[in-house]
Amino acid sequence: MRDCYCTVNLDQEEVFRTKIVEKSLCPFYGEDFYCEIPRTFRHLSFYIFDRDVFRRDSIIGKVAIQKEDLQKYHNRDTWFQLQHVDADSEVQGKVHLELRLSEVITDTGVVCHKLATRVLECQGLPIVNGQCDPYATVTLAGPSRSEAKKTKVKKKTNNPHFDEVFYFEVTRPSSYNKKSHFDIEDVDEVDKMEIRVDLWNASNLKFGDEFLGELRLPLKFLRQSSSYEAWYFLQPRDNGNKSLKPDDLGSLRLNVVYTEDHVFSSDYYSPLRDLLLKSADVEPVSASAAHILGEVCREKQEAAIPLVRLFLHYGRIVPFISAIANAEVKRTQDPNTIFRGNSLTSKCIDETMKLAGMHYLQVTLKPIIDEICQVHKPCEIDPVKLKDGENLENNRENLRQYVDRIFTVITKSGVSCPTVMCDIFFSLRESAAKRFQGDPDVRYTAVSSFIFLRFFAPAILSPNLFQLTPHHPDPQTSRTLTLISKTIQTLGSLSKSKSANFKESYMATFYDYFNEQKYADAVKNFLDLISSSGRRDHKSIEQPILLKEGFMIKRAQGRKRFGMKNFKKRWFRLTNHEFTYQKSKGDHPLCSIPIENILAVERLEEESFKMKNMFQVIQPERRVLYIQANNCVEAKDWIDILTKVSQCNKKRLTVYHPSAYLNGHWLCCKATADNTPGCTPCTGGLPANIQLDIDGDRETERIYSLFNLYMPKLEKMQEACGSKSVYDGPEEEEYSTFIIDDPKETYKTLKLIIEGVGTLEQEHAQYKRDKFKKTKYGSQEHPIGDKSFQTYIRQQSEISAHSI
């Protein structure tokens, strides 16, 4: 048996790690990881490690998917065979070369060839065992010779600048015939030669230097043009993986969803965006653009995510959800099934609660869930599953205490419920009460079906999906959380015969503890409070909300006069009040920066300390805290969230220094005074009135992509509108999947959507054509060996040939 975990990597940089599944040869992880990709990459890789007794990790195998192949596996469960991990095949980064082949005529009139190879720089080399000290070797190799030269080693950088030139004599005059030299009369011999550039990491270990990648170029291509300069992707060694037997290392099941949207500037989206934002005012709402998106998408979730973000960004979420919820309530026949389906309304409300209610969950549930995960009290109440030595009564009591505490925390938290959620619940309650006037409880069930069933219960069940815990809880904790979640769900549902809700008799028995009127009253009071329309002032009740925490490395700020300015690992904690760090989690803070003292948060150029993924937190009097995050994704997360909380600070800076102040001057602008104002404009933050980091143009582009993807369904819906308005009788079977209340209005909106999507499609096509014309293969953006670009060129040349 093995104790295995899996890592997710961009090329070779780890950005996520799963929990360890112990003693299993078929571990199930079931972990979701979502990230914005902050840089270019060639492979999305997954490595499987085995942890042994001494906590050393040995690698079992990997799955590496090329960026251009991600689309093939998009949103499909796929089993991938694990491949061997071999230093020769693990390659990333690119190299910039200049080659010049010149003919020299000697005194005797004989022609010989000389080759100058200039190694300019590399970018994005991997960091091996925490360091990268690269050098390059340049070899001229032919059938009967091999001559190698080497650059200087560049310390602590994975973007080295070499700028060294090496000269090789390719052919020599035949009279020059020492035994150690080569006698080549035939100029065609040049065609059999190649220049090879290998990159190495200078290791201080006994095992020798690590291979980082190579490049092989035949000299014959220099015969056409004597000088050549380009960027190249480094490649694996030729023998990479070939000698290995294809053992069965096992396989890994993945579901990768990869979307790439090219977002234009705001004005391009105006027509489509205005059409979407008007949705709340369209009568009937089923004829609106947003509702139509929900109708044509295969999954309602696909439509809900960008719609909610767009409406939240423009402050239109409450009228939109009120309109679609009202329409759904009118279609509902039985008050007991209200909002129970996976409709557009329920998916949009789920998404809004997830975005707007994240802090609310942190405040209410996180402390208790942390305790449950750490203390591991036995709470199993199924007599069949009891472990030896466990007492059923004790377990019941443990579970009852947990349920009681969580129930109390939730029902007392009404004042902390975000305003946007309260406004939505108010409109749900009003719609339901109006539709089912004979049912006094429907005003409660309409709200509880969201706040308890779709918000608190799932967050208790899977705290990792709601960022309440970093990983999936262990099996015992997971079972405890399942039992608590079931009980809370039933307590919140206010159904008449509670015990009948449970299939298991032990749950029904346990539930008898809570079958008192005080619990039902507490739920009703809580639901009344969160669905009242009076807006409340949040400042008076706000306690610090933990936004993010974790280990990072920081450079001493030089507060002590003679203190060393070295780097130390610290536990960082950010709340909406302050940014602190301490030696380890739970210790007293060593330093606390109030949010109002954060004047800017910016990336730090790698050259400053020869360290990757660094950023700076700038404070008053030009004091700067330099921090290194563990990887590029985490660095972006910290920068984004720190920028977001300090966005409204009155004294925010407009300029900053992108490099550090070292040895008496700023590395970026060479100014000597440490209080010199910055030399680079600060990166634009978010508009101050928006609490969520949402880009409206980007969400509109996503909606355009969805409409474009489902264009056949939009056209089918147009036909359905025509068929309905003409026949108005029993409609054709294939059209009955769409909700069309008013064929004429729906047809009008569809026409506008199709026009808007068509215009944007033309803009994208034009942009691609222009980009194709301007792009140079071999440039820094598109190095030679970029497969996705080669595919793109092939597609473009097919398109242009087709249009000709």
Side-chain angles (χ1 to χ4, degrees):
M1 288 300 179
R2 287 176 144 167
D3 300 347
C4 294
Y5 64 90
C6 175
T7 66
V8 182
N9 299 53
L10 294 174
D11 297 321
Q12 292 174 55
E13 182 181 8
E14 181 184 318
V15 292
F16 179 66
R17 179 179 287 209
T18 65
K19 63 181 179 213
I20 297 175
V21 174
E22 296 183 341
K23 299 186 177 57
S24 168
L25 292 177
C26 302
F28 176 78
Y29 297 103
E31 293 195 40
D32 291 315
F33 171 60
Y34 168 84
C35 86
E36 294 280 320
I37 297 182
R39 63 175 177 81
T40 53
F41 67 103
R42 286 162 73 183
H43 291 91
L44 180 66
S45 313
F46 302 82
Y47 291 83
I48 302 284
F49 289 91
D50 177 17
R51 170 154 289 188
D52 70 9
V53 196
F54 304 107
R55 298 217 146 220
R56 285 195 308 253
D57 302 340
S58 55
I59 200 156
I60 296 174
K62 68 159 186 180
V63 169
I65 309 172
Q66 285 189 340
K67 181 184 173 182
E68 48 276 15
D69 292 340
L70 285 169
Q71 241 13 67
K72 284 186 206 165
Y73 307 109
H74 180 75
N75 208 2
R76 289 210 318 259
D77 273 14
T78 312
W79 283 99
F80 292 90
Q81 281 300 120
L82 288 181
Q83 305 296 322
H84 279 280
V85 173
D86 163 24
D88 290 351
S89 68
E90 299 291 293
V91 166
Q92 70 179 60
K94 52 192 174 185
V95 59
H96 189 185
L97 283 190
E98 192 180 338
L99 301 172
R100 185 173 284 118
L101 186 63
S102 40
E103 290 185 350
V104 181
I105 302 176
T106 62
D107 302 342
T108 54
V110 182
V111 175
C112 61
H113 294 81
K114 279 191 163 48
L115 173 72
T117 304
R118 185 171 174 208
V119 184
L120 289 142
E121 59 179 316
C122 293
Q123 278 189 346
L125 297 176
I127 288 178
V128 187
N129 299 328
Q131 58 113 26
C132 188
D133 299 339
Y135 68 88
T137 58
V138 182
T139 311
L140 179 69
S144 54
R145 64 181 280 196
S146 177
E147 186 183 349
K149 298 183 177 183
K150 177 181 158 185
T151 67
K152 294 189 181 76
V153 174
K154 297 288 177 184
K155 291 279 187 188
K156 288 190 179 168
T157 174
N158 64 338
N159 297 326
H161 285 262
F162 296 112
D163 205 358
E164 294 188 38
V165 186
F166 302 103
Y167 296 97
F168 297 94
E169 292 198 355
V170 181
T171 59
R172 293 201 176 86
S174 49
S175 57
Y176 188 78
N177 193 0
K178 276 191 193 168
K179 279 287 173 277
S180 62
H181 291 100
F182 300 92
D183 176 12
I184 297 173
E185 292 171 44
D186 184 3
V187 179
D188 290 344
E189 198 67 17
V190 175
D191 291 354
K192 295 178 185 161
M193 291 188 167
E194 66 173 11
I195 191 90
R196 200 175 80 227
V197 180
D198 293 86
L199 272 129
W200 300 84
N201 181 21
S203 167
N204 42 17
L205 303 168
K206 295 192 188 74
F207 314 119
D209 298 346
E210 287 112 345
F211 171 76
L212 299 180
E214 73 169 17
L215 180 62
R216 289 166 176 257
L217 298 170
L219 283 197
K220 65 176 170 213
F221 84 97
L222 283 173
R223 300 292 287 275
Q224 284 87 38
S225 67
S226 58
S227 162
Y228 198 82
E229 181 224 341
W231 283 85
Y232 294 86
F233 269 139
L234 289 170
Q235 301 299 338
R237 269 193 190 143
D238 271 4
N239 63 356
N241 278 350
K242 281 181 188 162
S243 56
L244 294 165
K245 297 194 293 294
D247 306 344
D248 186 12
L249 298 173
S251 46
L252 175 66
R253 179 172 152 220
L254 299 168
N255 187 335
V256 179
V257 176
Y258 175 70
T259 50
E260 195 177 276
D261 288 325
H262 295 267
V263 186
F264 288 134
S265 57
S266 228
D267 45 336
Y268 283 85
Y269 297 108
S270 297
L272 185 60
R273 185 177 51 230
D274 296 346
L275 188 63
L276 287 159
L277 292 174
K278 276 204 318 239
S279 294
D281 310 321
V282 174
E283 280 289 328
V285 74
S286 61
S288 68
H291 195 280
I292 289 171
L293 181 67
E295 287 297 288
V296 294
C297 281
R298 201 182 66 200
E299 301 276 336
K300 297 277 188 256
Q301 182 82 356
E302 270 184 311
I305 293 173
L307 282 175
V308 163
R309 296 173 78 92
L310 182 73
F311 283 109
L312 266 172
H313 181 74
Y314 288 102
R316 302 279 296 144
I317 192 73
V318 177
F320 169 63
I321 286 183
S322 303
I324 56 173
N326 204 9
E328 187 177 324
V329 170
K330 282 180 182 160
R331 285 194 293 271
T332 307
Q333 299 306 316
D334 178 358
N336 294 319
T337 62
I338 198 163
F339 299 128
R340 286 301 165 95
N342 276 334
S343 61
L344 182 66
T345 310
S346 51
K347 288 293 179 197
C348 282
I349 297 175
D350 284 356
E351 203 49 41
T352 308
M353 292 193 300
K354 234 181 184 173
L355 284 169
M358 217 39 117
H359 292 170
Y360 179 33
L361 282 178
Q362 299 271 347
V363 177
T364 42
L365 295 182
K366 191 169 173 26
I368 298 184
I369 285 183
D370 282 347
E371 185 188 319
I372 294 170
C373 292
Q374 283 156 12
V375 179
H376 289 109
K377 277 189 190 171
C379 295
E380 183 54 76
I381 56 169
D382 180 354
V384 182
K385 290 185 179 170
L386 275 191
K387 289 184 186 154
D388 293 345
E390 279 186 1
N391 178 315
L392 187 62
E393 275 313 305
N394 288 353
N395 288 10
R396 264 198 200 133
E397 183 51 29
N398 289 343
L399 186 63
R400 192 187 69 73
Q401 283 179 7
Y402 278 147
V403 170
D404 232 345
R405 281 175 59 196
I406 286 185
F407 178 80
T408 308
V409 164
I410 290 174
T411 49
K412 290 259 166 63
S413 71
V415 286
S416 316
C417 185
T419 316
V420 67
M421 284 167 65
C422 295
D423 291 347
I424 289 171
F425 295 149
F426 174 67
S427 70
L428 296 182
R429 172 190 177 133
E430 295 294 290
S431 291
K434 206 163 166 187
R435 171 85 171 86
F436 301 106
Q437 290 175 1
D439 187 334
D441 277 343
V442 76
R443 62 181 53 219
Y444 295 115
T445 50
V447 178
S448 72
S449 62
F450 285 104
I451 194 80
F452 280 102
L453 272 65
R454 303 175 84 115
F455 186 63
F456 283 122
I460 296 166
L461 187 65
S462 310
N464 55 300
L465 296 184
F466 291 81
Q467 281 138 43
L468 295 172
T469 57
H471 294 300
H472 276 267
D474 60 80
Q476 184 190 330
T477 309
S478 198
R479 174 69 178 154
T480 302
L481 293 173
T482 305
L483 295 169
I484 296 171
S485 178
K486 278 183 170 183
T487 318
I488 290 291
Q489 200 168 325
T490 310
L491 272 168
S493 69
L494 288 169
S495 55
K496 308 286 184 291
S497 54
K498 298 288 175 83
S499 303
N501 277 7
F502 296 107
K503 295 192 280 287
E504 310 94 338
S505 54
Y506 61 85
M507 281 304 292
T509 316
F510 174 68
Y511 195 79
D512 288 342
Y513 285 126
F514 303 98
N515 232 340
E516 294 178 36
Q517 191 54 39
K518 67 172 185 180
Y519 289 102
D521 292 345
V523 170
K524 283 185 173 174
N525 288 341
F526 169 65
L527 295 174
D528 278 334
L529 183 56
I530 63 168
S531 61
S532 60
S533 65
R535 289 165 173 272
R536 296 175 307 284
D537 173 28
H538 283 266
K539 279 283 172 276
S540 56
I541 47 145
E542 198 177 65
Q543 49 201 116
I545 296 165
L546 178 66
L547 301 174
K548 190 168 174 62
E549 58 182 347
F551 274 115
M552 290 192 288
I553 291 167
K554 64 103 198 166
R555 180 177 187 255
Q557 297 181 79
R559 284 196 303 259
K560 295 184 189 138
R561 195 151 165 218
F562 301 109
M564 292 273 287
K565 287 196 178 181
N566 51 3
F567 287 90
K568 290 189 173 131
K569 193 172 181 180
R570 293 287 181 255
W571 180 263
F572 282 83
R573 226 169 156 267
L574 174 66
T575 69
N576 55 347
H577 290 188
E578 59 181 359
F579 181 46
T580 58
Y581 61 78
Q582 49 232 57
K583 261 198 173 146
S584 50
K585 191 175 179 177
D587 287 1
H588 189 71
L590 298 169
C591 168
S592 161
I593 304 171
I595 294 298
E596 55 272 20
N597 281 1
I598 298 178
L599 306 186
V601 184
E602 298 286 348
R603 292 188 179 282
L604 184 71
E605 284 177 358
E606 213 169 288
E607 293 307 305
S608 300
F609 301 107
K610 304 274 192 253
M611 288 162 77
K612 284 183 72 146
N613 305 321
M614 286 200 73
F615 63 94
Q616 47 183 326
V617 178
I618 305 168
Q619 304 158 59
E621 280 132 40
R622 303 270 164 206
R623 276 191 38 206
V624 185
L625 175 61
Y626 297 120
I627 304 173
Q628 183 188 32
N630 297 321
N631 58 55
C632 59
V633 170
E634 202 175 292
K636 182 179 185 303
D637 284 352
W638 275 105
I639 293 170
D640 286 352
I641 197 161
L642 281 162
T643 303
K644 200 188 307 181
V645 293
S646 59
Q647 194 64 59
C648 305
N649 292 350
K650 292 187 178 61
K651 294 182 182 166
R652 270 189 73 84
L653 297 179
T654 50
V655 287
Y656 77 106
H657 290 286
S659 287
Y661 182 79
L662 291 174
N663 306 327
H665 68 271
W666 291 100
L667 298 181
C668 38
C669 57
K670 305 291 181 272
T672 49
D674 63 352
N675 60 356
T676 310
C679 55
T680 307
C682 285
T683 47
L686 310 164
N689 58 343
I690 293 167
Q691 294 161 313
L692 295 156
D693 186 2
I694 293 173
D695 176 343
D697 300 330
R698 184 173 139 169
E699 301 308 328
T700 316
E701 170 62 33
R702 184 90 289 271
I703 292 169
Y704 148 76
S705 299
L706 288 169
F707 274 138
N708 205 11
L709 179 66
Y710 294 112
M711 188 53 81
K713 278 193 167 179
L714 287 171
E715 287 162 355
K716 201 159 207 144
M717 201 170 177
Q718 264 192 325
E719 287 172 27
C721 289
S723 148
K724 267 194 117 154
S725 49
V726 173
Y727 298 112
D728 207 28
E731 49 199 271
E732 286 187 44
E733 198 53 40
E734 59 179 324
Y735 298 147
S736 60
T737 50
F738 302 121
I739 294 175
I740 300 172
D741 297 321
D742 182 334
K744 205 168 164 190
E745 278 300 312
T746 310
Y747 188 87
K748 269 194 219 160
T749 310
L750 280 162
K751 194 163 175 284
L752 290 169
I753 292 171
I754 292 169
E755 277 169 18
V757 169
T759 310
L760 276 169
E761 204 175 348
Q762 283 170 357
E763 294 289 358
H764 277 288
Q766 185 59 47
Y767 172 77
K768 279 185 177 165
R769 283 196 292 275
D770 294 347
K771 190 177 172 208
F772 177 62
K773 281 178 198 156
K774 287 178 200 157
T775 305
K776 180 171 170 257
Y777 192 39
S779 64
Q780 193 171 350
E781 293 77 40
H782 298 288
I784 294 172
D786 181 348
K787 289 200 180 127
S788 57
F789 185 64
Q790 286 166 317
T791 315
Y792 172 66
I793 284 184
R794 207 167 46 246
Q795 286 167 350
Q796 289 303 316
S797 52
E798 280 165 18
I799 291 167
S800 53
H802 184 67
S803 61
I804 289 163

